[in-house]
Amino acid sequence: MKKILIANRGEIAIRVMKTAKKMGIKTVAVYSTIDRQSPHVKFADEAVLIGEAPSNKSYLLGEKIIEVAKKMHVDAIHPGYGFLSENADFAELCEANQITFIGPKSKAIKIMGSKLAAKEAVKAYDIPMVPGTDEAITDIPEAKKIANAIGFPILIKASAGGGGKGMRIVENAKEFESQMDRAISEAINAFGDGSVFIEKYVATPRHIEIQIMADTHGNIVHLFERECSIQRRHQKVVEEAPSSVLTSSLRQKMGEAAVKVAKACDYIGAGTVEFLLDEQHNFYFLEMNTRLQVEHPVTELVTNTDLVELQIQVARGETLPFKQSDLKITGHALELRVYAEDPLNDFLPSVGHLDTYKLPTGKGIRVDNGFEQGMDIPIYYDPMLAKLITYGNTREEAIELMIEAIAAYEIEGVETTLPFGTYVCEHDAFRSGNFDTHFVKNHYAPEKLIEQQKSEARIAALIAIKSHMAKQKLLRLPD
């Protein structure tokens, strides 16, 4: 494998390129017109324009990307995450054109891309699942009967869903029909597929995911868990490894279950199996993401691995360089997704110009970044600027380092999730480990963040005044 095309943009494109460069592999970037001057374009060995700014006219054009790959004589395509990373048709297109897709086979993507098909596939492996329907349903009266049998509250979820779309929590029978209509409508608009399924709603869950890696020789390992419960609108914002609530016994059980899920679909490469953990620490299979995860760096830091390097090695047909018994967790890692969003205004996207953009540096600080000072934030793509990751010997050390790193991260021109990251890290619920996916709903209010910022500003002003007065006193001292 001498040359790889990265079918993505921003920080993940650069992240993949860094590992490829380390492995002596040339890289090809693709870019849209608005990304012409983006860092990932400059970082690659070669770069090719593929279309206009909207993703459906550039980064989602599978056939165009294949055309570029053939023209540039690449051996493989790494899809990153988002865009075409979980598109079975694109994986098939790569296979048909004798280009290695750095990821699972299209069959596994298809199975795990449908929540219902995924449930069906793992049934034989005795993996715990939340009580619910086994097949897609659109008949509202029939669905209501099922909901009553399961017991409220229930969750309606789009079968082809993701990112919180086509998802509705229904507290009681009265609101069931209207919520079902909304879920189906949203699913059709977002995915072109109105099929939904119903399951028991776990009221105070934690979101725990297990990283797996599988080679083409039948070896599958898990690289332990990531805690992903700090979310807004069903999207993760803060992640960490390991979880503060998993015992070694529970960790082993969840890891073994994740490996079984991978076996259920003949999985190859890096994947993530997601679970819900209830108050009694019962875990339930949620879904499998058939790609590299945004939060993969925390796993890399606590296991001392390079997941992208492992993806490439597996794609080349190599055997995994370790066994399950070789893997262990060392230290603690924390990740904050730095989104161009306003945490004071319901996390709405904050479009603008990066007047100031300076990254924090230092021991235990990693920034996977896709922007630079002077750039505009495009409206066409996910608003994530970078991922800020900290690593320490203990959870407390990683949290304190995160607070310091956020303070040292200089951004002017757009609002970001950095202040929210500080808020989370300083909150008693997070620090104690006693939190769930409702952290934002239960503990976060913009006015609290405003008060916190005012308090910090007052302290900074007092320090400045004290420093100024001390200097004046020194100036007045006689010779």
Side-chain angles (χ1 to χ4, degrees):
M1 198 177 283
K2 294 177 182 175
K3 192 188 281 190
I4 292 173
L5 182 149
I6 294 86
N8 219 297
R9 63 182 295 279
E11 59 84 22
I12 184 55
I14 294 171
R15 162 71 191 90
V16 174
M17 289 173 195
K18 281 182 177 177
T19 287
K21 188 167 279 191
K22 180 179 78 174
M23 297 175 77
I25 299 169
K26 297 289 184 187
T27 58
V28 177
V30 290
Y31 63 94
S32 67
T33 48
I34 204 163
D35 278 341
R36 196 180 296 274
Q37 299 301 320
S38 290
H40 82 278
V41 177
K42 301 171 194 173
F43 197 88
D45 294 298
E46 298 169 283
V48 180
L49 174 69
I50 50 164
E52 297 299 314
S55 54
N56 64 354
K57 294 184 179 178
S58 51
Y59 296 106
L60 289 173
L61 296 177
E63 290 190 1
K64 174 75 172 176
I65 288 169
I66 293 290
E67 186 185 309
V68 169
K70 290 167 83 171
K71 185 181 173 184
M72 303 302 286
H73 305 291
V74 306
D75 304 301
I77 292 175
H78 195 300
Y81 39 67
F83 295 134
L84 296 168
S85 64
E86 293 180 282
N87 186 308
D89 292 339
F90 181 65
E92 274 183 5
L93 209 52
C94 290
E95 291 162 14
N97 284 276
Q98 286 77 54
I99 296 168
T100 300
F101 179 76
I102 301 177
K105 297 298 179 192
S106 55
K107 176 194 166 194
I109 298 175
K110 275 180 185 168
I111 291 169
M112 291 299 160
S114 162
K115 291 179 176 64
L116 291 166
K119 280 189 169 188
E120 187 61 36
V122 304
K123 249 185 191 176
Y125 289 82
D126 199 28
I127 293 161
M129 285 185 278
V130 179
T133 55
D134 291 329
E135 54 188 36
I137 192 161
T138 50
D139 183 318
I140 293 177
E142 182 59 28
K144 195 170 183 180
K145 280 184 195 171
I146 294 166
N148 282 320
I150 294 169
F152 291 92
I154 58 104
L155 187 65
I156 301 170
K157 294 168 79 173
S159 176
K165 292 182 175 66
M167 189 182 286
R168 286 283 181 278
I169 298 163
V170 187
E171 300 287 351
N172 54 61
K174 283 181 190 174
E175 59 184 53
F176 179 80
E177 290 183 25
S178 62
Q179 294 286 43
M180 183 82 172
D181 281 335
R182 284 180 192 173
I184 291 170
S185 173
E186 198 171 287
I188 290 169
N189 290 335
F191 313 109
D193 179 358
S195 59
V196 298
F197 65 96
I198 296 164
E199 63 184 32
K200 180 71 180 168
Y201 178 60
V202 180
T204 55
R206 291 179 81 117
H207 190 140
I208 307 285
E209 61 187 30
I210 307 285
Q211 176 71 56
I212 65 103
M213 185 68 70
D215 64 22
T216 54
H217 306 279
N219 302 303
I220 309 173
V221 298
H222 67 84
L223 290 92
F224 314 109
E225 83 280 0
R226 293 184 288 259
E227 170 74 68
C228 304
S229 299
I230 306 292
Q231 307 176 358
R232 49 94 181 97
R233 293 194 297 274
H234 303 289
Q235 287 272 14
K236 305 160 193 168
V237 188
V238 178
E239 301 105 347
E240 60 182 312
S243 168
S244 60
V245 293
L246 259 60
T247 60
S248 56
S249 169
L250 185 54
R251 178 174 293 119
Q252 185 179 339
K253 285 177 187 171
M254 292 181 78
E256 288 169 356
V259 167
K260 286 179 182 176
V261 171
K263 284 180 180 173
C265 63
D266 300 321
Y267 201 81
I268 295 168
T272 296
V273 182
E274 306 205 354
F275 295 97
L276 288 181
L277 189 72
D278 69 16
E279 288 175 287
Q280 288 75 44
H281 291 187
N282 300 306
F283 65 90
Y284 306 99
F285 171 67
L286 188 62
E287 64 183 350
M288 184 179 196
N289 289 314
T290 54
R291 54 171 166 79
L292 196 66
Q293 291 280 84
V294 177
E295 56 275 14
H296 75 273
V298 294
T299 295
E300 293 184 323
L301 289 170
V302 299
T303 58
N304 192 28
T305 55
D306 181 333
L307 293 176
V308 174
E309 183 174 20
L310 289 168
Q311 282 187 300
I312 293 169
Q313 288 170 342
V314 164
R316 292 195 301 207
E318 296 172 25
T319 305
L320 287 176
F322 45 68
K323 296 183 177 68
Q324 188 67 57
S325 57
D326 298 323
L327 293 163
K328 63 176 184 176
I329 297 170
T330 304
H332 199 97
L334 202 63
E335 175 178 301
L336 169 67
R337 299 189 188 190
V338 184
Y339 284 110
E341 292 180 343
D342 186 356
L344 301 181
N345 189 19
D346 198 29
F347 294 94
L348 290 175
S350 177
V351 177
H353 183 77
L354 289 173
D355 302 321
T356 302
Y357 193 70
K358 293 177 183 173
L359 308 178
T361 57
K363 186 184 176 188
I365 297 172
R366 166 177 164 178
V367 186
D368 285 14
N369 174 52
F371 283 81
E372 57 191 28
Q373 190 164 292
M375 286 181 67
D376 291 317
I377 309 300
I379 61 170
Y380 303 97
Y381 316 117
D382 183 273
M384 190 167 69
L385 305 177
K387 300 178 311 203
L388 176 59
I389 310 111
T390 56
Y391 174 79
N393 292 320
T394 63
R395 184 172 187 263
E396 292 72 23
E397 190 181 330
I399 290 172
E400 289 305 320
L401 191 53
M402 177 62 78
I403 293 168
E404 290 172 26
I406 290 170
Y409 206 135
E410 297 180 44
I411 301 181
E412 290 177 13
V414 297
E415 300 301 324
T416 73
T417 49
L418 286 170
F420 175 74
T422 303
Y423 183 90
V424 172
C425 288
E426 291 181 345
H427 199 282
D428 289 343
F430 182 73
R431 295 179 82 94
S432 69
N434 184 25
F435 60 92
D436 55 42
T437 56
H438 303 307
F439 177 91
V440 169
K441 184 175 80 175
N442 294 340
H443 301 295
Y444 176 69
E447 56 269 22
K448 290 181 183 176
L449 187 54
I450 292 167
E451 187 54 44
Q452 186 183 62
Q453 289 175 338
K454 281 180 182 174
S455 176
E456 287 168 1
R458 280 196 297 269
I459 293 166
L462 287 170
I463 292 168
I465 290 165
K466 193 175 180 182
S467 174
H468 176 72
M469 288 173 73
K471 285 177 185 174
Q472 291 299 314
K473 190 176 179 183
L474 282 170
L475 288 170
R476 287 198 297 273
L477 286 174
D479 292 333

